[in-house]
């Protein structure tokens, strides 16, 4: 019986379940995830990318990366967010000053409850620039932020860039910020672990890996 118990324990699946926003998952986490799975080949990682704020215990999730107001952040902070208008290098030629936005297409996310204005994510930048109202020629709405970013890369309009999620696209020159630096959004990404994660060494190592990746990205 003891031998059978040891065999079963050794063959039990090692899993880490994480929940986060679709934008963080597709633009920041997934491009880096192979570094974790490469060093933890026996661990199955399950990513739930959703705008819904899941209850970690009820949903049996180990780790959450939440985008929250800095004043209400729970758990260790990965990084704070700043926002800035971004577009393709070709489109940047026609965007020299904020007034030029009136001639371009707004690329934005349509939230599930339709309660947010199309430019809600622009508000920190608009405030810094002293712009009380933003009018653009037309609007393209997407259900996922990554799709709006893809449209910006394709030169279809201007998206509000959430940094550092899009920093790599800027380093590659696929997106540029012709109107200058970003403005702090007063939000940040925070790592929260569930009670069940305390007994899951792989989950704790995953949370630590997230923090190390965030630190390395900010040094780069």
């Amino acid at each position: 019986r003891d031998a059978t118990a040891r065999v079963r324990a050794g063959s039990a699946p090692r899993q880490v379940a994480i929940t986060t926003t679709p934008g963080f998952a597709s633009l920041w986490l997934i491009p880096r995830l192979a570094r974790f799975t490469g060093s933890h080949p026996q661990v199955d990682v399950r990513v739930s990318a959703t705008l819904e704020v899941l209850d970690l215990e009820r949903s049996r999730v180990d780790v959450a990366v939440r985008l929250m107001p800095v004043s209400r952040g729970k758990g260790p902070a990965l990084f704070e967010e700043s926002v800035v208008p971004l577009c393709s290098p070709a489109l940047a030629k026609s965007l020299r000053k904020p007034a030029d936005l009136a001639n371009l297409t707004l690329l934005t996310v349509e939230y599930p409850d339709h309660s947010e204005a199309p430019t809600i994510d622009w508000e920190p930048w608009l405030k810094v620039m002293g712009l009380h109202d933003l009018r653009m020629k037309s609007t393209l709405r997407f259900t996922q932020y990554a799709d709006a970013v893809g449209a910006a890369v394709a030169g279809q309009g201007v998206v509000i860039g959430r940094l550092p999620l899009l920093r790599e696209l800027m380093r590659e020159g696929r997106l540029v910020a012709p109107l200058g630096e970003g403005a702090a959004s007063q939000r940040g990404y925070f790592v929260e672990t569930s009670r069940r994660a305390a007994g899951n060494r792989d989950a704790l190592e995953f949370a630590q890996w997230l923090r190390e990746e965030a630190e390395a990205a900010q040094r780069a």
Side-chain angles (χ1 to χ4, degrees):
R1 285 198 300 269
D2 291 344
T4 301
R6 286 195 296 270
V7 170
R8 286 176 176 171
S11 61
R14 295 168 57 184
Q15 298 180 342
V16 176
I18 176 173
T19 180
T20 189
T21 64
F24 182 88
S26 61
L27 297 167
W28 195 91
L29 176 60
I30 291 174
R32 294 170 167 80
L33 195 54
R35 289 201 277 270
F36 180 83
T37 56
S39 60
H40 297 73
Q42 304 303 316
V43 179
D44 293 334
V45 179
R46 177 167 59 89
V47 180
S48 175
T50 176
L51 293 176
E52 181 184 359
V53 179
L54 300 179
D55 181 282
L56 301 188
E57 310 305 332
R58 193 158 48 225
S59 302
R60 300 185 62 80
V61 172
D62 299 298
V63 182
V65 178
R66 313 275 203 201
L67 176 62
M68 305 179 67
V70 171
S71 60
R72 302 206 310 266
K74 295 181 180 179
L78 287 184
F79 39 68
E80 293 187 22
E81 179 191 65
S82 62
V83 293
V84 64
L86 298 178
C87 64
S88 67
L91 199 62
K93 297 175 183 178
S94 56
L95 186 54
R96 304 294 185 183
K97 55 187 183 299
D100 294 334
L101 288 167
N103 303 315
L104 300 173
T105 297
L106 170 68
L107 305 173
T108 188
V109 176
E110 186 170 65
Y111 293 92
D113 59 4
H114 306 287
S115 63
E116 303 285 7
T119 57
I120 185 69
D121 290 338
W122 289 65
E123 287 184 359
W125 182 82
L126 294 174
K127 184 176 181 180
V128 167
M129 298 299 292
L131 301 174
H132 302 293
D133 196 13
L134 177 64
R135 292 281 187 269
M136 298 181 71
K137 182 181 68 174
S138 58
T139 301
L140 283 176
R141 300 171 186 262
F142 301 86
T143 57
Q144 301 294 339
Y145 180 61
D147 294 334
V149 172
V153 171
Q156 296 179 22
V158 184
V159 70
I160 193 67
R162 298 174 184 170
L163 305 181
L165 296 192
L166 304 186
R167 189 68 71 187
E168 195 61 32
L169 289 173
M170 296 179 68
R171 289 196 184 102
E172 295 170 356
R174 299 170 67 188
L175 288 176
V176 297
L179 298 179
E181 295 299 319
S185 73
Q186 305 303 319
R187 300 188 300 181
Y189 289 87
F190 296 83
V191 180
E192 183 179 352
T193 54
S194 66
R195 290 192 299 272
R196 67 193 297 269
N200 184 343
R201 184 189 66 185
D202 297 317
L204 298 178
E205 290 183 0
F206 187 86
Q208 177 62 30
W209 172 80
L210 284 171
R211 295 190 290 270
E212 292 171 355
E213 284 289 323
E215 291 173 1
Q218 292 186 63
R219 291 194 303 267

